[in-house]
């Protein structure tokens, strides 16, 4: 494929000018289609999500035993109305948000306190299950709590798991793999926080640090893992297992909405705002939501103004063949979970018919909203996890159809926070900007 220069792209796609200028922008995806039509363009389907969901159910007895903080072995988070935060947004942006505002609290997910407790843990469990089946270790009871026994740990001790991560994926993979008994290595980029490295090392995880960014850590981790047949590399950019682990969230949220008597149909649309790094987490969740709730759920990805890799990748259709650096952006952001310069092509292509759009957020906005949410609702998220919070403002100001209905529900995906040490959180809260 021929590679256009920046000025050629700017001529073709004028919105990119504002992206280059690091302004907060909203891009509407012209390729979004009905779910049924979109499904014809991917090999992924409901069957894959059901398979993942069933597998998590099989593992629940194990997780309940190994992680008593799970709800009977189910890794799920609350769906919380945040009316006080809605008023804060209305005041700060001088707009009306006629619908409801909900927060999906993945900050409170058990085991690793972020959205990565969905996909990351799922992929490790699936790998462990495959090894156990291949070794004919599962007894006839098929009770998965036996994964928490010495024979299983001895098997897994002969195997390795590796991952490249900006932090939270490393935490999920590291904690889960170490618990099962695997040798696990986390390849971390320079922007990963020290406390994450310390925490992982305290659990017996091997942490390798790189001075380069995320893509470099992944590349190096992949290269080392490929040379070792006993090593399973969790590929954040290409893994369908990760994607499906995230996608299970769709049916779970559908059930939570039903419990709260919230309807999703043409007259009651649902807008969902998902912070996006490489794309697997928000992509998987959005895919699951589209399949569970249909055409009237509208999903948008949120990215930092310095790292809008998915927006650029989808807008140009070049996916992983372009990076934010090609547009003069430095990929430097306090939202460490979103500090990704090149998006996953697998996710970008899969999401093409399903995604309503992408928008960007300034770092300073993340800190301002972090404080507002803590003050108004006493909910504490990490900076990355606030990227979804300007979603309602973006879609209403941009006059997206049905965004300002009184029966519209806005769902902000709060992707992480509970693992952040108190002193670090205090610094976020007191962040005054420069
Ligand atoms: C990883 C992460 C995301 C984005 O997930 P991707 O799969 O990288 O797109 C968002 N928020 C937080 C807190 C994360 O850790």
């Amino acid at each position: 494929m021929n590679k256009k220069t920046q000025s050629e792209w700017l001529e073709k796609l004028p919105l990119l000018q504002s992206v280059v200028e690091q302004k907060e922008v909203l891009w509407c995806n012209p390729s979004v289609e009905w779910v049924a039509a979109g499904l014809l363009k991917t090999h992924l389907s409901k069957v894959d999500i059901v398979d993942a969901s069933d597998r998590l159910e099989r593992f629940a007895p194990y997780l309940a035993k190994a992680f008593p903080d799970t709800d009977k072995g189910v890794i799920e988070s609350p769906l919380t109305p945040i009316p006080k935060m809605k008023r804060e947004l209305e005041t700060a942006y001088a707009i009306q948000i006629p619908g409801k505002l909900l927060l999906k609290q993945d900050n409170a997910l058990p085991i690793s306190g972020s959205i990565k407790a969905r996909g990351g843990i799922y992929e490790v469990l699936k790998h462990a299950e495959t090894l156990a089946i291949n070794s004919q270790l599962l007894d006839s009871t098929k009770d998965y709590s036996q994964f928490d026994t010495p024979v299983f740990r001895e098997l897994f001790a002969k195997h390795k798991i590796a991952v490249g991560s900006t932090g939270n994926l490393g935490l999920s993979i590291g904690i889960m793999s170490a618990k099962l008994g695997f040798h696990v290595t986390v390849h971390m980029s320079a922007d990963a926080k020290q406390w994450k490295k310390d925490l992982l090392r305290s659990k017996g995880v091997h942490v390798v640090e790189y001075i380069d960014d995320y893509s470099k850590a992944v590349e190096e981790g992949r290269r080392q893992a490929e040379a070792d047949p006993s090593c399973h590399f969790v590929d954040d950019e290409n893994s369908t297992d990760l994607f499906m682990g995230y996608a299970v969230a769709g049916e779970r949220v559908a059930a939570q909405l039903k419990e709260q008597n919230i309807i999703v149909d043409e007259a009651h649309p649902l807008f969902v705002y998902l912070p996006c790094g490489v794309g697997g987490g928000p992509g998987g969740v959005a895919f699951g939501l589209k399949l569970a709730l249909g055409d009237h759920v509208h999903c948008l990805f949120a990215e930092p103004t310095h790292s809008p890799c998915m927006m650029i990748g989808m807008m140009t259709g070049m996916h992983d063949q372009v990076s934010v650096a090609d547009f003069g952006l430095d990929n430097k952001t306090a939202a460490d979970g979103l500090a990704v310069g090149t998006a996953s092509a697998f996710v970008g292509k899969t999401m093409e018919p399903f995604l309503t759009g992408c928008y960007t957020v300034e770092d300073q906005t993340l800190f301002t909203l972090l404080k507002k949410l803590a003050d108004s609702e006493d909910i504490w998220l990490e900076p990355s996890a606030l990227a979804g919070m300007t979603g309602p403002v973006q879609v209403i100001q941009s006059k997206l159809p049905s965004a300002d209905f009184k029966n519209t529900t806005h769902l902000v995906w709060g992707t992480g926070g509970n693992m952040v040490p108190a002193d670090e959180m205090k610094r976020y809260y007191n962040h005054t900007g420069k």
Side-chain angles (χ1 to χ4, degrees), residues 114-116 168 236 246 275-282 337-338 382 384-385 415-416:
S114 83
I115 187 171
K116 306 299 193 309
N168 285 340
D236 200 10
Y246 291 119
C276 177
V278 73
L338 314 180
E382 61 186 275
S384 299
T415 43

Side-chain angles (χ1 to χ4, degrees), residues 113-116 165-169 196 214 236 242 246 274-284 301-303 309-310 335-340 344 347 382-387 413-417:
S114 83
I115 187 171
K116 306 299 193 309
S165 171
T166 52
N168 285 340
L169 185 63
K196 292 183 182 173
Y214 162 81
D236 200 10
L242 271 180
Y246 291 119
L274 297 141
C276 177
V278 73
F301 289 171
E303 299 181 291
C309 63
M310 188 60 83
D336 55 336
L338 314 180
V340 180
S344 159
V347 174
E382 61 186 275
S384 299
L386 272 306
W413 212 276
T415 43

Side-chain angles (χ1 to χ4, degrees), residues 80-397:
T80 311
I82 46 169
K84 294 190 196 107
M85 185 62 189
K86 190 176 103 162
R87 282 196 288 280
E88 291 288 333
L89 286 173
E90 288 179 322
T91 307
Y93 289 92
I95 61 161
Q96 285 293 313
I97 305 173
K100 278 195 192 65
L101 181 63
L102 304 177
L103 181 69
K104 182 59 178 161
Q105 283 197 266
D106 275 8
N107 59 302
L109 276 179
I111 305 181
S112 66
S114 83
I115 187 171
K116 306 299 193 309
R118 298 184 183 277
I121 288 172
Y122 172 74
E123 176 153 348
V124 174
L125 293 175
K126 184 173 181 209
H127 183 58
E129 182 186 54
T130 304
L131 291 173
I133 290 170
N134 290 349
S135 307
Q136 296 176 323
L137 219 55
L138 274 168
D139 70 22
S140 57
T141 69
K142 300 273 192 293
D143 175 354
Y144 275 35
S145 61
Q146 58 190 296
F147 277 79
D148 192 32
T149 54
V151 269
F152 279 72
R153 278 191 287 275
E154 277 160 32
L155 168 68
F156 300 140
K158 292 185 218 127
H159 293 268
K160 297 176 192 154
I161 291 185
V163 65
S165 171
T166 52
N168 285 340
L169 185 63
L171 285 181
S172 283
I173 303 287
I175 293 170
M176 189 67 248
S177 306
K179 192 78 172 186
L180 282 159
F182 286 103
H183 274 287
V184 52
T185 302
V186 178
H187 300 267
M188 282 190 146
S189 48
D191 41 14
K193 297 273 186 283
Q194 188 59 42
W195 65 264
K196 292 183 182 173
K197 299 173 195 170
D198 296 342
L199 190 145
L200 283 172
R201 287 186 173 127
S202 79
K203 301 207 181 269
V205 175
H206 183 213
V207 177
V208 186
E209 299 176 53
Y210 296 87
I211 47 168
D212 281 298
D213 74 356
Y214 162 81
S215 302
K216 195 73 187 192
V218 173
E219 190 185 311
E220 187 56 26
R222 183 185 286 131
R223 198 183 58 75
Q224 290 181 20
E226 271 169 2
D228 182 350
S230 73
C231 186
H232 176 75
F233 181 70
V234 178
D235 188 337
D236 200 10
E237 290 167 329
N238 299 298
S239 168
T240 41
D241 287 342
L242 271 180
F243 193 83
M244 286 305 152
Y246 291 119
V248 172
E251 61 182 34
R252 304 257 186 97
V253 167
Q256 287 180 318
L257 288 167
K258 205 164 178 190
E259 266 165 40
Q260 297 184 22
N261 296 315
I262 295 172
I263 304 165
V264 180
D265 62 18
E266 190 167 9
H268 304 78
L270 173 68
F271 283 77
V272 184
Y273 312 101
L274 297 141
C276 177
V278 73
V285 168
F287 185 73
L289 285 168
K290 291 300 275 191
L291 290 197
L293 292 163
D295 292 315
H296 303 293
V297 51
H298 309 289
C299 300
L300 292 103
F301 289 171
E303 299 181 291
T305 50
H306 286 242
S307 309
C309 63
M310 188 60 83
M311 183 190 273
I312 288 175
M314 290 189 77
M315 209 191 246
T316 59
M318 298 290 280
H319 302 292
D320 60 350
Q321 301 305 301
V322 284
S323 81
V324 299
D326 294 337
F327 292 88
L329 300 171
D330 61 10
N331 190 26
K332 285 202 167 49
T333 168
D336 55 336
L338 314 180
V340 180
T342 308
S344 159
F346 153 61
V347 174
K349 286 174 192 165
T350 303
M351 292 317 292
E352 224 161 69
F354 300 109
L355 196 71
T356 296
C358 296
Y359 67 87
T360 54
V361 193
E362 278 178 20
D363 275 22
Q364 187 50 49
T365 309
L366 301 176
F367 287 112
T368 306
L369 295 172
L370 187 152
K371 186 169 189 305
K372 282 191 195 303
L373 184 66
D375 290 342
S376 63
E377 304 279 356
D378 195 21
I379 295 173
W380 298 74
L381 302 183
E382 61 186 275
S384 299
L386 272 306
M389 199 60 85
T390 55
V393 178
Q394 284 285 355
V395 298
I396 290 171
Q397 283 180 342

Side-chain angles (χ1 to χ4, degrees), residues 60-74:
Y62 164 72
L63 291 170
K65 212 168 143 201
F67 297 98
D69 63 328
T70 58
D71 176 15
K72 301 192 185 77
V74 178

